[in-house]
Amino acid sequence: MNQEQETFSQIPTDEEVYYLAELFKVFADSTRIKILFVLSGGEMCVMDISQALGMSQSSISHQLRVLKQSRLVKFRRDGRTIYYSLADQHVRTMLSQGLEHIGE
């Protein structure tokens, strides 16, 4: 049995399944996915993200709040400006594997 088969040979706990379902719900919004793709290019502030996507800063801020709560993005403050970036390499991997999957 290879490592991937071993990983999926045991059913996760109810709690793990719940949190995984909640994570996938976050990916169910096209605006949040667009934000994640924009941030895959590097950290940006709300104004830059809103310009890149042609959306209002308030709608971007709302979606960033959801992404932060789900630990998909992180932030740092520089004076009055907050910069957002992907939380880790796993987020980039989920995006690229999702694209690969729909391309098959």
Short mmCIF file of all heavy atoms in Angstrom, two decimals, residues 2-43:
data_model
loop_
_atom_site.label_atom_id
_atom_site.label_comp_id
_atom_site.label_asym_id
_atom_site.label_seq_id
_atom_site.Cartn_x
_atom_site.Cartn_y
_atom_site.Cartn_z
N ASN A 2 0.64 2.17 -0.93
CA ASN A 2 1.46 3.38 -0.97
C ASN A 2 0.96 4.38 0.08
O ASN A 2 -0.06 4.18 0.72
CB ASN A 2 1.51 4.00 -2.37
CG ASN A 2 0.18 4.56 -2.84
OD1 ASN A 2 -0.63 5.01 -2.05
ND2 ASN A 2 -0.04 4.52 -4.13
N GLN A 3 1.72 5.48 0.24
CA GLN A 3 1.41 6.44 1.30
C GLN A 3 0.03 7.07 1.12
O GLN A 3 -0.70 7.26 2.09
CB GLN A 3 2.48 7.53 1.32
CG GLN A 3 2.29 8.51 2.46
CD GLN A 3 3.37 9.58 2.50
OE1 GLN A 3 4.24 9.62 1.65
NE2 GLN A 3 3.31 10.43 3.50
N GLU A 4 -0.37 7.37 -0.12
CA GLU A 4 -1.68 7.98 -0.35
C GLU A 4 -2.80 7.02 0.05
O GLU A 4 -3.78 7.42 0.66
CB GLU A 4 -1.84 8.40 -1.81
CG GLU A 4 -3.10 9.18 -2.06
CD GLU A 4 -3.17 9.74 -3.47
OE1 GLU A 4 -2.11 10.04 -4.04
OE2 GLU A 4 -4.29 9.87 -3.97
N GLN A 5 -2.64 5.75 -0.28
CA GLN A 5 -3.65 4.77 0.09
C GLN A 5 -3.74 4.63 1.61
O GLN A 5 -4.81 4.50 2.16
CB GLN A 5 -3.33 3.41 -0.55
CG GLN A 5 -3.58 3.38 -2.04
CD GLN A 5 -3.07 2.09 -2.66
OE1 GLN A 5 -2.06 1.54 -2.24
NE2 GLN A 5 -3.79 1.62 -3.67
N GLU A 6 -2.58 4.68 2.28
CA GLU A 6 -2.57 4.60 3.74
C GLU A 6 -3.29 5.80 4.35
O GLU A 6 -4.03 5.66 5.31
CB GLU A 6 -1.12 4.55 4.27
CG GLU A 6 -0.44 3.23 4.02
CD GLU A 6 1.01 3.24 4.50
OE1 GLU A 6 1.35 4.06 5.37
OE2 GLU A 6 1.79 2.43 3.99
N THR A 7 -3.08 6.99 3.78
CA THR A 7 -3.71 8.20 4.28
C THR A 7 -5.22 8.09 4.24
O THR A 7 -5.92 8.52 5.14
CB THR A 7 -3.26 9.43 3.46
OG1 THR A 7 -1.84 9.54 3.55
CG2 THR A 7 -3.90 10.70 3.97
N PHE A 8 -5.76 7.48 3.18
CA PHE A 8 -7.20 7.41 3.00
C PHE A 8 -7.80 6.07 3.42
O PHE A 8 -8.97 5.83 3.21
CB PHE A 8 -7.57 7.73 1.54
CG PHE A 8 -7.33 9.16 1.20
CD1 PHE A 8 -6.25 9.53 0.42
CD2 PHE A 8 -8.17 10.15 1.67
CE1 PHE A 8 -6.02 10.86 0.11
CE2 PHE A 8 -7.95 11.49 1.37
CZ PHE A 8 -6.87 11.83 0.59
N SER A 9 -7.01 5.21 4.06
CA SER A 9 -7.55 3.92 4.47
C SER A 9 -8.34 4.02 5.76
O SER A 9 -9.13 3.14 6.07
CB SER A 9 -6.41 2.89 4.62
OG SER A 9 -5.57 3.27 5.69
N GLN A 10 -8.14 5.09 6.51
CA GLN A 10 -8.88 5.27 7.76
C GLN A 10 -9.82 6.47 7.61
O GLN A 10 -9.44 7.51 7.11
CB GLN A 10 -7.92 5.53 8.92
CG GLN A 10 -7.02 4.36 9.21
CD GLN A 10 -6.11 4.64 10.40
OE1 GLN A 10 -6.18 5.70 11.01
NE2 GLN A 10 -5.27 3.69 10.73
N ILE A 11 -11.03 6.29 8.07
CA ILE A 11 -12.00 7.38 8.04
C ILE A 11 -11.65 8.38 9.13
O ILE A 11 -11.42 8.00 10.28
CB ILE A 11 -13.43 6.84 8.24
CG1 ILE A 11 -13.79 5.89 7.10
CG2 ILE A 11 -14.44 7.98 8.34
CD1 ILE A 11 -15.09 5.17 7.28
N PRO A 12 -11.61 9.68 8.79
CA PRO A 12 -11.31 10.68 9.82
C PRO A 12 -12.40 10.73 10.88
O PRO A 12 -13.52 10.26 10.66
CB PRO A 12 -11.26 11.99 9.04
CG PRO A 12 -11.38 11.65 7.60
CD PRO A 12 -11.83 10.25 7.48
N THR A 13 -12.06 11.35 11.99
CA THR A 13 -13.04 11.51 13.06
C THR A 13 -14.15 12.45 12.59
O THR A 13 -13.98 13.20 11.63
CB THR A 13 -12.39 12.10 14.32
OG1 THR A 13 -11.98 13.45 14.03
CG2 THR A 13 -11.21 11.27 14.80
N ASP A 14 -15.26 12.43 13.31
CA ASP A 14 -16.37 13.33 12.99
C ASP A 14 -15.93 14.79 13.05
O ASP A 14 -16.32 15.61 12.21
CB ASP A 14 -17.55 13.11 13.93
CG ASP A 14 -18.29 11.81 13.65
OD1 ASP A 14 -18.07 11.22 12.57
OD2 ASP A 14 -19.09 11.40 14.51
N GLU A 15 -15.10 15.11 14.01
CA GLU A 15 -14.61 16.49 14.15
C GLU A 15 -13.74 16.87 12.94
O GLU A 15 -13.89 17.97 12.39
CB GLU A 15 -13.81 16.64 15.44
CG GLU A 15 -13.32 18.05 15.69
CD GLU A 15 -12.54 18.19 16.99
OE1 GLU A 15 -12.01 17.19 17.50
OE2 GLU A 15 -12.47 19.33 17.47
N GLU A 16 -12.85 15.98 12.52
CA GLU A 16 -12.01 16.25 11.36
C GLU A 16 -12.85 16.42 10.10
O GLU A 16 -12.60 17.32 9.29
CB GLU A 16 -10.99 15.13 11.16
CG GLU A 16 -9.91 15.11 12.22
CD GLU A 16 -9.04 13.86 12.15
OE1 GLU A 16 -9.57 12.76 11.84
OE2 GLU A 16 -7.83 13.99 12.41
N VAL A 17 -13.86 15.58 9.93
CA VAL A 17 -14.75 15.67 8.77
C VAL A 17 -15.49 17.01 8.79
O VAL A 17 -15.64 17.67 7.76
CB VAL A 17 -15.73 14.48 8.72
CG1 VAL A 17 -16.82 14.71 7.70
CG2 VAL A 17 -14.99 13.20 8.44
N TYR A 18 -15.95 17.42 9.96
CA TYR A 18 -16.66 18.70 10.09
C TYR A 18 -15.76 19.85 9.65
O TYR A 18 -16.17 20.70 8.85
CB TYR A 18 -17.12 18.90 11.54
CG TYR A 18 -17.65 20.29 11.78
CD1 TYR A 18 -18.95 20.63 11.42
CD2 TYR A 18 -16.85 21.27 12.36
CE1 TYR A 18 -19.44 21.91 11.63
CE2 TYR A 18 -17.34 22.56 12.57
CZ TYR A 18 -18.63 22.86 12.21
OH TYR A 18 -19.10 24.14 12.40
N TYR A 19 -14.51 19.89 10.16
CA TYR A 19 -13.61 20.99 9.83
C TYR A 19 -13.20 20.95 8.35
O TYR A 19 -13.03 22.01 7.73
CB TYR A 19 -12.39 21.01 10.74
CG TYR A 19 -12.74 21.51 12.13
CD1 TYR A 19 -12.59 20.70 13.25
CD2 TYR A 19 -13.24 22.79 12.31
CE1 TYR A 19 -12.93 21.16 14.51
CE2 TYR A 19 -13.58 23.26 13.57
CZ TYR A 19 -13.42 22.44 14.66
OH TYR A 19 -13.77 22.90 15.91
N LEU A 20 -13.07 19.78 7.80
CA LEU A 20 -12.76 19.67 6.38
C LEU A 20 -13.92 20.19 5.53
O LEU A 20 -13.72 20.91 4.56
CB LEU A 20 -12.43 18.22 6.01
CG LEU A 20 -11.93 17.97 4.59
CD1 LEU A 20 -10.67 18.78 4.29
CD2 LEU A 20 -11.67 16.48 4.40
N ALA A 21 -15.14 19.86 5.91
CA ALA A 21 -16.32 20.36 5.20
C ALA A 21 -16.39 21.88 5.30
O ALA A 21 -16.72 22.56 4.31
CB ALA A 21 -17.59 19.72 5.77
N GLU A 22 -16.08 22.44 6.46
CA GLU A 22 -16.08 23.89 6.63
C GLU A 22 -15.01 24.54 5.74
O GLU A 22 -15.25 25.60 5.14
CB GLU A 22 -15.84 24.27 8.10
CG GLU A 22 -17.00 23.93 9.01
CD GLU A 22 -18.29 24.64 8.65
OE1 GLU A 22 -18.27 25.89 8.50
OE2 GLU A 22 -19.31 23.96 8.48
N LEU A 23 -13.86 23.90 5.63
CA LEU A 23 -12.80 24.42 4.77
C LEU A 23 -13.26 24.43 3.31
O LEU A 23 -13.08 25.42 2.60
CB LEU A 23 -11.53 23.57 4.91
CG LEU A 23 -10.37 23.94 3.98
CD1 LEU A 23 -9.85 25.34 4.28
CD2 LEU A 23 -9.27 22.91 4.09
N PHE A 24 -13.88 23.35 2.88
CA PHE A 24 -14.35 23.28 1.49
C PHE A 24 -15.45 24.31 1.22
O PHE A 24 -15.57 24.81 0.10
CB PHE A 24 -14.81 21.87 1.13
CG PHE A 24 -13.67 20.90 0.94
CD1 PHE A 24 -13.78 19.60 1.36
CD2 PHE A 24 -12.48 21.29 0.33
CE1 PHE A 24 -12.74 18.70 1.18
CE2 PHE A 24 -11.44 20.41 0.14
CZ PHE A 24 -11.56 19.11 0.56
N LYS A 25 -16.24 24.65 2.23
CA LYS A 25 -17.26 25.70 2.06
C LYS A 25 -16.61 27.04 1.71
O LYS A 25 -17.17 27.81 0.94
CB LYS A 25 -18.10 25.86 3.32
CG LYS A 25 -19.11 24.77 3.54
CD LYS A 25 -19.88 25.03 4.82
CE LYS A 25 -20.76 23.87 5.20
NZ LYS A 25 -21.45 24.12 6.49
N VAL A 26 -15.45 27.30 2.28
CA VAL A 26 -14.76 28.55 2.01
C VAL A 26 -14.37 28.61 0.53
O VAL A 26 -14.44 29.66 -0.11
CB VAL A 26 -13.51 28.70 2.91
CG1 VAL A 26 -12.70 29.93 2.53
CG2 VAL A 26 -13.93 28.77 4.37
N PHE A 27 -14.01 27.47 -0.05
CA PHE A 27 -13.64 27.41 -1.46
C PHE A 27 -14.86 27.47 -2.38
O PHE A 27 -14.70 27.50 -3.60
CB PHE A 27 -12.83 26.14 -1.74
CG PHE A 27 -11.40 26.24 -1.31
CD1 PHE A 27 -11.00 25.70 -0.10
CD2 PHE A 27 -10.46 26.88 -2.10
CE1 PHE A 27 -9.68 25.79 0.31
CE2 PHE A 27 -9.14 26.98 -1.69
CZ PHE A 27 -8.74 26.44 -0.50
N ALA A 28 -16.06 27.48 -1.83
CA ALA A 28 -17.28 27.49 -2.64
C ALA A 28 -17.64 28.89 -3.14
O ALA A 28 -18.65 29.05 -3.81
CB ALA A 28 -18.44 26.90 -1.84
N ASP A 29 -16.83 29.88 -2.86
CA ASP A 29 -17.12 31.26 -3.27
C ASP A 29 -16.06 31.71 -4.29
O ASP A 29 -14.87 31.70 -4.00
CB ASP A 29 -17.09 32.18 -2.05
CG ASP A 29 -17.44 33.60 -2.41
OD1 ASP A 29 -16.51 34.36 -2.77
OD2 ASP A 29 -18.62 33.96 -2.34
N SER A 30 -16.52 32.11 -5.48
CA SER A 30 -15.59 32.48 -6.55
C SER A 30 -14.74 33.70 -6.21
O SER A 30 -13.58 33.77 -6.60
CB SER A 30 -16.33 32.68 -7.87
OG SER A 30 -17.29 33.71 -7.74
N THR A 31 -15.29 34.64 -5.46
CA THR A 31 -14.51 35.82 -5.07
C THR A 31 -13.35 35.42 -4.17
O THR A 31 -12.23 35.90 -4.35
CB THR A 31 -15.39 36.87 -4.37
OG1 THR A 31 -16.41 37.29 -5.28
CG2 THR A 31 -14.58 38.07 -3.91
N ARG A 32 -13.61 34.55 -3.23
CA ARG A 32 -12.53 34.11 -2.33
C ARG A 32 -11.46 33.37 -3.12
O ARG A 32 -10.25 33.56 -2.86
CB ARG A 32 -13.09 33.25 -1.20
CG ARG A 32 -13.90 34.06 -0.21
CD ARG A 32 -14.21 33.29 1.05
NE ARG A 32 -15.21 32.27 0.88
CZ ARG A 32 -16.50 32.41 1.16
NH1 ARG A 32 -16.96 33.56 1.62
NH2 ARG A 32 -17.34 31.41 1.00
N ILE A 33 -11.84 32.57 -4.08
CA ILE A 33 -10.86 31.85 -4.90
C ILE A 33 -10.02 32.85 -5.70
O ILE A 33 -8.80 32.71 -5.79
CB ILE A 33 -11.54 30.81 -5.81
CG1 ILE A 33 -12.13 29.68 -4.96
CG2 ILE A 33 -10.55 30.26 -6.84
CD1 ILE A 33 -12.96 28.69 -5.72
N LYS A 34 -10.66 33.86 -6.26
CA LYS A 34 -9.92 34.89 -7.00
C LYS A 34 -8.92 35.59 -6.09
O LYS A 34 -7.78 35.85 -6.49
CB LYS A 34 -10.88 35.91 -7.61
CG LYS A 34 -11.67 35.39 -8.79
CD LYS A 34 -12.63 36.46 -9.27
CE LYS A 34 -13.57 35.95 -10.34
NZ LYS A 34 -14.53 36.99 -10.76
N ILE A 35 -9.34 35.91 -4.88
CA ILE A 35 -8.44 36.56 -3.93
C ILE A 35 -7.24 35.67 -3.65
O ILE A 35 -6.09 36.13 -3.63
CB ILE A 35 -9.18 36.93 -2.62
CG1 ILE A 35 -10.18 38.05 -2.88
CG2 ILE A 35 -8.19 37.34 -1.53
CD1 ILE A 35 -11.14 38.31 -1.72
N LEU A 36 -7.48 34.39 -3.45
CA LEU A 36 -6.37 33.47 -3.19
C LEU A 36 -5.41 33.42 -4.37
O LEU A 36 -4.18 33.39 -4.17
CB LEU A 36 -6.91 32.07 -2.85
CG LEU A 36 -7.67 31.96 -1.53
CD1 LEU A 36 -8.31 30.59 -1.39
CD2 LEU A 36 -6.75 32.25 -0.35
N PHE A 37 -5.93 33.41 -5.58
CA PHE A 37 -5.06 33.40 -6.75
C PHE A 37 -4.25 34.69 -6.85
O PHE A 37 -3.06 34.66 -7.16
CB PHE A 37 -5.84 33.15 -8.04
CG PHE A 37 -6.03 31.69 -8.33
CD1 PHE A 37 -7.26 31.10 -8.17
CD2 PHE A 37 -4.96 30.91 -8.75
CE1 PHE A 37 -7.44 29.75 -8.43
CE2 PHE A 37 -5.12 29.55 -9.02
CZ PHE A 37 -6.36 28.97 -8.86
N VAL A 38 -4.88 35.83 -6.56
CA VAL A 38 -4.15 37.10 -6.58
C VAL A 38 -3.03 37.07 -5.54
O VAL A 38 -1.90 37.47 -5.82
CB VAL A 38 -5.11 38.29 -6.34
CG1 VAL A 38 -4.35 39.57 -6.02
CG2 VAL A 38 -6.01 38.50 -7.54
N LEU A 39 -3.34 36.55 -4.35
CA LEU A 39 -2.34 36.50 -3.29
C LEU A 39 -1.26 35.45 -3.54
O LEU A 39 -0.20 35.51 -2.92
CB LEU A 39 -3.01 36.25 -1.94
CG LEU A 39 -3.87 37.40 -1.41
CD1 LEU A 39 -4.56 37.00 -0.12
CD2 LEU A 39 -3.03 38.65 -1.22
N SER A 40 -1.50 34.54 -4.45
CA SER A 40 -0.45 33.54 -4.75
C SER A 40 0.74 34.21 -5.43
O SER A 40 1.83 33.67 -5.45
CB SER A 40 -1.01 32.41 -5.61
OG SER A 40 -1.32 32.86 -6.90
N GLY A 41 0.53 35.43 -5.93
CA GLY A 41 1.64 36.19 -6.52
C GLY A 41 2.45 36.97 -5.49
O GLY A 41 3.48 37.55 -5.82
N GLY A 42 2.02 37.00 -4.26
CA GLY A 42 2.73 37.71 -3.20
C GLY A 42 1.77 38.54 -2.37
O GLY A 42 0.59 38.66 -2.70
N GLU A 43 2.28 39.11 -1.31
CA GLU A 43 1.41 39.84 -0.40
C GLU A 43 0.92 41.15 -1.01
O GLU A 43 1.61 41.77 -1.82
CB GLU A 43 2.10 40.08 0.95
CG GLU A 43 3.20 41.08 0.95
CD GLU A 43 3.75 41.35 2.34
OE1 GLU A 43 3.43 40.62 3.29
OE2 GLU A 43 4.51 42.31 2.46
#
